[in-house]
Amino acid sequence: MTVLTLLSNHRDTLLSMYAAMVKTRLCEEAVLSLAGADYLPVRGQEAVAAGTAAALDEGDRLVTTRRCLHELVACGVPLRDVVRLAAAQWGAAEARASAPAHGVIFSTGTPGAGIPVAAGAALAAKVTGSDRVVVVSFGDGATNTGAFHEAANLAAVQRLPLVLLCQNNLYSRYTPVLETMRINRIAARAQAYGMPGRTVDGNDPVAVREAVGEAVALARAGGGPMLVECVTFRLGGYRAGDGPDYIPPEDLAMAMAEDPVPRYERWLRETTGIDPESLARIASAARREVEEVISW
């Protein structure tokens, strides 16, 4: 994180991203106690969602799935609904209905399925003359699907107001990403469609906000789509209950040292001058909110 990126962010935005990350971490811990093996953990990827949501304007849309708890929290979906959706618990249909009010469009959990949905939503925005921008979030494995390639090509040809947001956690389920493609950076795929691509540190919410903000501004101005690759890491197994046995111990140790939640908290304290008491109050409020939802 640089002084330049700090100057482009107000204190309230920095703290709102911290609140989203802490709330996500606590909420996931609670969901894991309810959901069992059906839940797909996102621990370690909180900064991507927090930075992305902070870059969107009211009226913009984020296409994701009901299991992407970090994005639902960051977009402001009520925690009661987030828990019901992520844990597939009672009232999930009712909870799903509340998401559009917070700019969320759901697709299925099939890798890449949301990308054509997002391209359609972006096409609708263009045809109707709206200044709405659509962001679609997906994993590294989705970039190997036909849905990704077809939607990316359509978005580029039609100059759609679409941001392709890849959360590259370096594993396609249990397989290292370097065993599924011959390129070192997924953002390089943007060149094939004639759109810009950018790779950023997905554990840094300020860097994510800056990159997604650049892509959103380009799309809103009629410049067409952009592929933003956020390199991060899932700090645990692919599914709840899985162990990280498929991850080399040294890689997991390096990832744990870059855990985005404590890392961002340290940066806020040491670089921005935000006092520890303010951060503690945010964390306490998030914990109370999660406890109230679980008690309910």
Side-chain angles (χ1 to χ4, degrees):
M1 298 179 188
T2 67
V3 174
L4 180 61
T5 58
L6 174 60
L7 290 175
S8 68
N9 291 273
H10 296 296
R11 183 178 188 273
D12 289 348
T13 301
L14 296 174
L15 291 178
S16 71
M17 292 192 294
Y18 176 71
M21 292 170 67
V22 171
K23 191 182 296 186
T24 295
R25 181 65 59 90
L26 295 172
C27 192
E28 176 164 280
E29 292 173 358
V31 166
L32 287 171
S33 69
L34 299 173
D38 183 55
Y39 179 66
L40 304 181
V42 295
R43 182 170 179 253
Q45 299 178 204
E46 297 90 347
V48 179
T52 297
L56 301 180
D57 287 348
E58 186 175 353
D60 291 338
R61 296 290 183 263
L62 175 68
V63 178
T64 183
T65 76
R66 68 169 179 83
R67 282 175 166 155
C68 289
L69 179 148
H70 55 329
E71 291 169 342
L72 302 182
V73 171
C75 286
V77 176
L79 278 195
R80 180 178 295 191
D81 292 335
V82 171
V83 170
R84 290 193 291 183
L85 287 166
Q89 293 287 331
W90 64 97
E94 177 188 341
R96 183 185 292 271
S98 76
H102 301 277
V104 175
I105 299 174
F106 285 125
S107 71
T108 69
T110 304
I115 307 174
V117 173
L123 179 59
K126 178 181 178 180
V127 169
T128 59
S130 169
D131 68 347
R132 172 177 295 163
V133 173
V134 181
V135 177
V136 57
S137 172
F138 49 87
D140 43 87
T143 66
N144 294 327
T145 67
F148 168 81
H149 295 290
E150 292 174 12
N153 187 63
L154 173 67
V157 169
Q158 296 294 329
R159 301 182 73 85
L160 299 183
L162 178 66
V163 178
L164 299 161
L165 180 73
C166 178
Q167 299 190 50
N168 182 4
N169 59 28
L170 307 181
Y171 279 84
S172 296
R173 296 196 177 213
Y174 306 99
T175 305
V177 68
L178 292 180
E179 294 182 15
T180 66
M181 59 187 71
R182 292 289 299 276
I183 54 177
N184 292 323
R185 285 287 173 256
I186 289 172
R189 288 189 157 160
Q191 184 177 358
Y193 306 106
M195 71 173 74
R198 182 174 175 184
T199 299
V200 298
D201 181 358
N203 290 338
D204 179 350
V206 176
V208 172
R209 178 175 180 257
E210 181 182 281
V212 175
E214 176 188 340
V216 167
L218 175 70
R220 206 182 309 280
M226 179 173 174
L227 173 59
V228 178
E229 175 192 11
C230 300
V231 181
T232 180
F233 206 92
R234 182 175 53 241
L235 301 177
Y238 171 68
R239 300 184 72 87
D242 285 350
D245 301 341
Y246 60 94
I247 304 174
E250 61 274 17
D251 291 351
L252 184 60
M254 290 176 61
M256 293 295 290
E258 292 295 310
D259 185 333
V261 177
R263 172 182 153 179
Y264 185 48
E265 181 177 335
R266 285 195 303 271
W267 181 80
L268 288 173
R269 287 190 282 104
E270 297 171 1
T271 307
T272 69
I274 293 176
D275 58 286
E277 291 75 16
S278 296
L279 301 178
R281 283 194 296 271
I282 290 172
S284 295
R287 185 174 297 280
R288 285 195 303 272
E289 185 177 356
V290 172
E291 289 175 348
E292 288 172 4
V293 169
I294 298 304
S295 296
W296 167 81

